[in-house]
Amino acid sequence: MENKQLVKNSKFLALVLRHDPGKIGVELDEAGWVSVDVLLAAIKARGRQFDRGELDQVVAQNDKKRFEFDETGTRIRASQGHSVPVDLGYVPIEPPEALYHGTATRFLESIFGEGLRPGSRHHVHLSTDAETAVKVGTRHGKPAVLVVAAARMLADGHEFFRSTNGVWLTEQVPAEYLSRLPG
């Protein structure tokens, strides 16, 4: 499958598995899983060409590893980023001293006033490196990288989770735990 089609399929899969499963008439279970067979049949019924080989390729080649199969390979879900109610079953884990969040400079005043909030998603997404945060911030405009004092947040009672694709998650980041990375 050419890269353009791979990206298109990945975006469609993200829409269905993270935000709007009803768009193609499927339901996610409480942990976000859906049967691969049910998913592919629903996609086909909507007139899209998307077979198991293409699905495997999207899961394997997605640069952010957004999707995962269960241990049997018969169910699939998004690793994080849902705006629909799911419980991914992640357990709290101790974060590194600092984590990073990429945003656009135009949002900084609001963020430093209100902190980071998940918006329509379940959690705020954080990374372990500034380079990833720059890429995320660039998607929204002129990038700015925020440093999150994760160890201090943990000590103050905030919980952190790590998704299967390595994205760090927390419910919110109050402004007092944020600083801007110079640059």
Side-chain angles (χ1 to χ4, degrees), residues 6-24 26 28 32 34 39 43 48 50 55 58-59 62-68 76-84 86 121 125 139 165:
L6 184 71
V7 169
K8 186 178 178 180
N9 286 348
S10 179
K11 287 182 177 186
F12 177 74
L13 202 56
L15 170 68
V16 170
L17 295 179
R18 294 166 89 181
H19 307 296
D20 192 4
K23 183 171 185 71
I24 62 167
V26 298
L28 306 179
V34 64
L39 176 68
I43 291 171
R48 288 185 73 116
F50 200 120
L55 183 64
V58 167
V59 172
N62 183 270
D63 61 341
K64 296 183 180 177
K65 302 295 180 202
R66 283 191 172 110
F67 315 106
E68 62 184 325
I76 187 171
R77 73 176 181 181
S79 302
Q80 95 295 321
H82 297 80
S83 59
V84 296
V86 295
R121 296 181 178 183
H125 295 190
R139 292 193 329 237
N165 64 346

Side-chain angles (χ1 to χ4, degrees), residues 48-175:
R48 288 185 73 116
Q49 297 300 317
F50 200 120
D51 63 24
R52 177 61 194 245
E54 290 169 316
L55 183 64
D56 289 346
Q57 193 173 2
V58 167
V59 172
Q61 294 183 11
N62 183 270
D63 61 341
K64 296 183 180 177
K65 302 295 180 202
R66 283 191 172 110
F67 315 106
E68 62 184 325
F69 291 114
D70 70 358
E71 62 281 348
T72 67
T74 61
R75 296 185 308 157
I76 187 171
R77 73 176 181 181
S79 302
Q80 95 295 321
H82 297 80
S83 59
V84 296
V86 295
D87 179 359
L88 298 172
Y90 296 144
V91 296
I93 184 172
E94 184 175 341
E97 183 76 22
L99 291 167
Y100 301 90
H101 180 80
T103 190
T105 55
R106 70 180 183 275
F107 299 133
L108 289 175
E109 185 177 339
S110 172
I111 290 170
F112 282 112
E114 302 173 16
L116 290 171
R117 294 191 240 168
S120 64
R121 296 181 178 183
H122 295 257
H123 295 96
V124 172
H125 295 190
L126 305 169
S127 63
T128 56
D129 62 275
E131 294 79 22
T132 299
V134 168
K135 290 177 187 174
V136 171
T138 301
R139 292 193 329 237
H140 303 288
K142 184 178 177 189
V145 175
L146 301 175
V147 180
V148 176
R152 193 161 51 94
M153 278 183 66
L154 180 70
D156 291 346
H158 296 268
E159 290 185 321
F160 288 85
F161 309 89
R162 189 172 53 213
S163 67
T164 54
N165 64 346
V167 174
W168 283 86
L169 309 168
T170 192
E171 287 186 13
Q172 65 174 330
V173 180

